[in-house]
């Protein structure tokens, strides 16, 4: 899935560098993220399975894929946005509401900032905010049927 946003080349470098630093740490950011999310917003516990092991892994793999393809041109225009819209629709089925995206973004960026330390400066945070905002918006957009996607 390619990113549904055009980050500047400098922002891509910042996001990738900070993500690489975070993923090299012993503690898994994804597990820490879910711990913080449930701690700050306990009502979200009802949205997840009792055992978060698979959820933690899938979340990390999804972010890995997003970062890996951040500056690659999409093979099929609109495919990434459509995939994210479909993911968003699945989240609606899980009980996720529009305002939950702000909670997730805040906790995710705070988790990254804490883990990256001094490496997560204002410019890096701004780059991540732009990326998260675009992903969240794509997830909130209604999915485009495959027949209507641009080839």
């Amino acid at each position: 899935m390619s990113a549904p946003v055009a980050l500047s080349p400098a922002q891509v470098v910042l996001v990738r560098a900070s993500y690489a630093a975070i993923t090299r740490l012993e503690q898994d950011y994804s597990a820490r993220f879910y711990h913080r999310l449930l701690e700050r917003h306990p009502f979200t516990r009802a949205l997840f399975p009792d055992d978060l092991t698979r959820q933690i892994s899938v979340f990390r793999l999804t972010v890995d894929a997003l970062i890996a393809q951040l500056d690659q041109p999409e093979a099929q225009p609109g495919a990434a946005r459509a995939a994210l819209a479909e993911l968003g629709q699945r989240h609606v089925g899980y009980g996720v509401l529009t305002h939950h995206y702000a909670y997730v973004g805040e906790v995710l960026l705070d988790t990254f900032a804490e883990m990256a330390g001094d490496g997560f400066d204002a410019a890096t945070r701004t780059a991540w905010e732009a990326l998260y905002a675009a992903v969240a918006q794509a997830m909130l957009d209604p999915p485009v049927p495959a027949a209507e996607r641009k080839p």
Side-chain angles (χ1 to χ4, degrees):
M1 132 186 17
S2 297
V5 63
L7 295 180
S8 72
Q11 287 179 314
V12 170
V13 168
L14 291 172
V15 167
R16 281 214 170 120
S18 60
Y19 191 68
I22 291 164
T23 58
R24 283 193 299 268
L25 297 173
E26 186 174 328
Q27 185 175 22
D28 180 9
Y29 78 82
S30 188
R32 183 175 241 171
F33 159 75
Y34 279 103
H35 173 77
R36 291 182 102 170
L37 180 66
L38 299 176
E39 181 178 75
R40 286 189 192 175
H41 306 287
F43 65 88
T44 62
R45 186 66 186 101
L47 301 173
F48 300 105
D50 291 339
D51 182 358
L52 287 174
T53 305
R54 184 173 185 283
Q55 182 73 30
I56 288 167
S57 177
V58 168
F59 182 76
R60 184 177 176 131
L61 290 172
T62 301
V63 177
D64 284 349
L66 180 67
I67 300 306
Q69 299 177 20
L70 197 54
D71 59 355
Q72 296 176 6
E74 293 183 52
Q76 297 177 326
R81 191 166 284 283
L84 287 170
E86 289 166 7
L87 179 62
Q89 286 298 302
R90 285 197 304 274
H91 279 75
V92 169
Y94 306 144
V96 175
L97 302 174
T98 301
H99 68 274
H100 293 158
Y101 285 84
Y103 303 148
V104 168
E106 171 196 325
V107 172
L108 181 63
L109 294 181
D110 287 352
T111 300
F112 284 169
E114 178 189 344
M115 293 182 77
D118 292 341
F120 206 85
D121 60 13
T124 301
R125 186 175 195 96
T126 297
W128 274 103
E129 287 170 347
L131 178 58
Y132 182 78
V135 168
Q137 186 57 56
M139 289 179 70
L140 290 166
D141 286 343
V144 177
E148 295 177 23
R149 292 184 200 150
K150 297 177 185 176

